[in-house]
Amino acid sequence: MGHALDYDDFGGFGHPTVAIFPALLALGESIGATGRDLMEAYIVGCEVGLAVDYATHYHSQQMHRGFHSTAILGRLAAAAACAKLLKLDQQQTSMALGMAGSMASGVIHNFGTMTKPLHAGMTCRDGVMAAQLAQRGFTAGEQILEHPVGFTATVIGDEHTDLEEAAGNLGKPFRVQDALVIKKYPSCGGNHAMLDSIFGLMREHEFTHRDVANAEVVQSFASTVMLYEEPESDLKGKFSAKYNMAAALVDGVVDIDTFTDEKIAEQDMQDMMERVGMRVQSKWEIGGGTVSKGVPIRITLNDGRVFEHETPRGEILGSQVNPWGMDNITGKFRENAGRVLAGERIEDAVRQWQDVTGVDDVSAAIRSTLVK
């Protein structure tokens, strides 16, 4: 459920929070954990997942093989987080990670379907199961990362990775503080730099989709997530750069209501998509050092004016270098929660969870904000 709208955070090994925090909520509720317990375990999980990602360059170099990093590295992260929450010892934690290494799965072909968010659900489930089984004495391989036929060599496909530095530098510094991006738009993170550019140009030059003769978005040849040029369903629309650009131009906003079958079928939207072109950067261009830092866009108006912009991926609104601000993040929460909770209970939820480290009993906090 946390991943179904593709509105959770992203960065590092895909979608770290949704691969970890729901598992901790479930486990924390069952053992009466505090909010501080959850945060400490969450950070441990993130750091483990990010360390393996950085050591193996998985997300940046290996996703072209078709594995979903949230589900692959997320298994290790979730297991590590749950092991921390259960206060497992070194041997038990090693066993939990060993089990998680055999559970890792999830392919990008399922993006744009209900199975993509199922990846996150299964990741959380497996993290809880691995930690609980380890607590009960279940065994697994003790060298899941470094063994010649372990996780790194077999699943990631890199048997030569040196993990010593990654292990030795856990928390020195903490990677999580620089890795995560808070999503402003409920679609694949690959769209966000492009959307920031479009909305910036629309504000600056005051044009609408009726003024646009044509638009172009540039994609890398290595892109594995923008699977749909002509999406016909809401979930596929989240993984279509063409549809995201058209929706931004037509509606001037991209939000939850953007991604419905009815919205995609609207005539204005279909007409705009016909005016949106995609250019794929060749391997030669990228190999020659001209790889884009973001997702370049080019918009040509009916009067002949041409606007171009490229927002670097590291400067997306919601990133650490370009923060969205707590007021906006809280506003996003209120808007989303308002679809299922009454106003008074939304504010109760804000008070309970805005500073999770102040929650004394996770189970009580969860009960206070359940949909009734």
Side-chain angles (χ1 to χ4, degrees):
M1 290 174 66
H3 196 39
L5 296 176
D6 235 293
Y7 213 179
D8 46 303
D9 58 16
F10 71 102
F13 57 92
H15 301 267
T17 299
V18 81
I20 300 171
F21 206 72
L24 297 177
L25 282 175
L27 199 56
E29 183 181 20
S30 71
I31 65 175
T34 67
R36 185 177 180 85
D37 292 335
L38 257 62
M39 284 305 297
E40 288 180 352
Y42 167 75
I43 291 169
V44 165
C46 281
E47 293 301 314
V48 167
L50 290 167
V52 176
D53 181 39
Y54 288 12
T56 61
H57 307 288
Y58 181 83
H59 190 73
S60 61
Q61 296 184 18
Q62 299 289 343
M63 275 190 69
H64 69 276
R65 298 176 61 219
F67 285 118
H68 183 192
S69 58
T70 301
I72 303 299
L73 301 184
R75 291 306 204 294
L76 298 176
C82 291
K84 169 67 174 175
L85 192 62
L86 289 178
K87 297 180 171 61
L88 301 189
D89 62 27
Q90 180 176 333
Q91 176 67 9
Q92 292 170 322
T93 300
S94 180
M95 296 300 99
L97 290 171
M99 281 179 262
S102 276
M103 295 169 175
S105 61
V107 295
I108 290 174
H109 173 61
N110 279 314
F111 282 23
T113 75
M114 294 178 183
T115 299
K116 200 254 190 178
L118 180 62
H119 290 172
M122 293 190 295
T123 296
C124 290
R125 176 203 64 188
D126 290 349
V128 172
M129 181 167 66
Q132 289 183 328
L133 286 174
Q135 189 180 45
R136 289 161 171 78
F138 210 83
T139 64
E142 295 184 350
Q143 297 179 305
I144 193 61
L145 291 178
E146 62 268 38
H147 198 278
V149 287
F151 175 87
T152 307
T154 305
V155 179
I156 295 180
D158 187 355
E159 67 275 18
H160 303 298
T161 299
D162 183 3
L163 295 165
E164 292 297 327
E165 182 179 0
N169 287 331
L170 281 171
K172 303 174 185 177
F174 287 102
R175 295 179 171 95
V176 67
Q177 63 191 3
D178 299 317
L180 302 188
V181 178
I182 305 296
K183 278 194 175 184
K184 185 181 179 183
Y185 317 109
S187 65
C188 176
N191 293 301
H192 287 224
M194 173 189 72
L195 292 173
D196 282 354
S197 294
I198 292 170
F199 291 131
L201 290 175
M202 292 178 76
R203 286 192 300 269
E204 180 180 357
H205 300 287
E206 298 182 339
F207 63 88
T208 72
H209 71 286
R210 293 184 178 85
D211 303 311
V212 176
N214 60 73
E216 180 184 80
V217 55
V218 176
Q219 295 283 294
S220 165
F221 81 96
S223 176
T224 56
V225 294
M226 293 302 169
L227 299 177
Y228 306 102
E229 188 170 353
E230 304 289 346
E232 73 279 0
S233 68
D234 56 348
L235 293 177
K236 290 181 179 180
K238 293 175 181 288
F239 299 92
S240 170
K242 191 171 182 178
Y243 175 66
N244 275 261
M245 175 176 264
L249 290 167
V250 172
D251 289 342
V253 64
V254 171
D255 58 18
I256 291 175
D257 295 325
T258 298
F259 299 98
T260 66
D261 295 354
E262 294 76 18
K263 175 63 72 172
I264 292 174
E266 287 181 359
Q267 192 59 53
D268 276 359
M269 204 68 72
Q270 291 293 316
D271 291 344
M272 189 66 244
M273 276 198 285
E274 289 183 4
R275 286 177 277 154
V276 174
M278 295 183 65
R279 186 176 75 82
V280 178
Q281 271 193 326
S282 68
K283 192 172 184 179
W284 180 87
E285 286 180 278
I286 293 175
T290 58
V291 59
S292 300
K293 295 180 179 179
V295 180
I297 66 166
R298 176 186 176 94
I299 297 174
T300 303
L301 301 189
N302 295 322
D303 62 12
R305 287 182 294 166
V306 177
F307 304 123
E308 297 179 318
H309 197 270
E310 179 180 346
T311 300
R313 290 179 178 86
E315 297 176 16
I316 294 170
L317 185 59
S319 63
Q320 300 298 322
V321 300
N322 189 14
W324 199 20
M326 185 54 68
D327 286 346
N328 286 319
I329 295 170
T330 306
K332 170 183 169 178
F333 177 84
R334 287 190 173 101
E335 180 182 351
N336 291 339
R339 293 171 180 263
V340 291
L341 294 178
E344 182 178 335
R345 299 192 59 223
I346 295 171
E347 297 311 311
D348 287 343
V350 170
R351 285 190 291 270
Q352 287 275 7
W353 294 101
Q354 195 162 33
D355 180 10
V356 67
T357 58
V359 174
D360 294 326
D361 182 356
V362 169
S363 58
I366 290 174
R367 285 195 302 272
S368 72
T369 53
L370 287 175
V371 177
K372 298 179 180 178

